[in-house]
Amino acid sequence: MTPDRLSDTFFALADPTRRAILARLTLGEASVNELAKPFEMSGPGLSKHLKVLERAGLISRGREAQWRPSRLEAGPLKDAADWLEGYRRYWDASFDRLEEHLAEVQTKAAQDD
């Protein structure tokens, strides 16, 4: 994944409405009207969110007669998770070091008593 693609993914995920749309699409494909139901916004307003998600590669949109279903494309989410994994390892190691330090402080405190 190129850094620009990763930026597109994080930009799309930065908006709570778009995250809610993605969460809905984990249940299966849906039309614009179905996706708009939980939000107080027009179809064109929701379409703008869908375009951002589509540009980021997070959804694809089909055409079946008059119905244009949107479906989740999870590949960019995996790429983002892979990128974040290094930071998770960093925090895990930091917490492990903190835990060791606290254990040493407690042991020392117990010996001083």
Side-chain angles (χ1 to χ4, degrees), residues 44-70:
L46 189 77
S47 288
K48 289 180 183 179
H49 285 294
L50 294 177
K51 286 178 186 173
V52 171
L53 292 168
E54 192 171 21
R55 264 189 306 239
L58 292 165
I59 67 167
S60 60
R61 299 173 77 187
R63 182 177 296 276
E64 297 173 17
Q66 297 299 317
W67 191 52
R68 289 208 55 197
S70 295

Side-chain angles (χ1 to χ4, degrees), residues 6 12 32 44-45 56 104 110:
L6 189 59
V32 172
E104 288 173 17

Side-chain angles (χ1 to χ4, degrees), residues 6-83:
L6 189 59
S7 295
D8 291 343
T9 298
F10 283 119
F11 175 77
L13 294 174
D15 185 276
T17 299
R18 292 192 286 267
R19 291 192 305 270
I21 291 167
L22 292 175
R24 165 50 186 89
L25 291 175
T26 63
L27 303 174
E29 56 187 41
S31 68
V32 172
N33 290 336
E34 291 170 327
L35 293 171
K37 281 182 186 176
F39 308 105
E40 292 183 21
M41 77 174 56
S42 65
L46 189 77
S47 288
K48 289 180 183 179
H49 285 294
L50 294 177
K51 286 178 186 173
V52 171
L53 292 168
E54 192 171 21
R55 264 189 306 239
L58 292 165
I59 67 167
S60 60
R61 299 173 77 187
R63 182 177 296 276
E64 297 173 17
Q66 297 299 317
W67 191 52
R68 289 208 55 197
S70 295
R71 66 186 58 82
L72 179 67
E73 299 293 341
L77 292 173
K78 182 184 180 322
D79 294 337
D82 291 347
W83 183 82

Side-chain angles (χ1 to χ4, degrees), residues 65-104:
Q66 297 299 317
W67 191 52
R68 289 208 55 197
S70 295
R71 66 186 58 82
L72 179 67
E73 299 293 341
L77 292 173
K78 182 184 180 322
D79 294 337
D82 291 347
W83 183 82
L84 288 168
E85 178 64 21
Y87 293 95
R88 186 192 61 78
R89 285 193 301 268
Y90 166 79
W91 283 110
D92 284 348
S94 295
F95 288 133
D96 289 345
R97 286 191 305 273
L98 177 61
E99 185 177 22
E100 290 169 12
H101 175 71
L102 292 174
E104 288 173 17

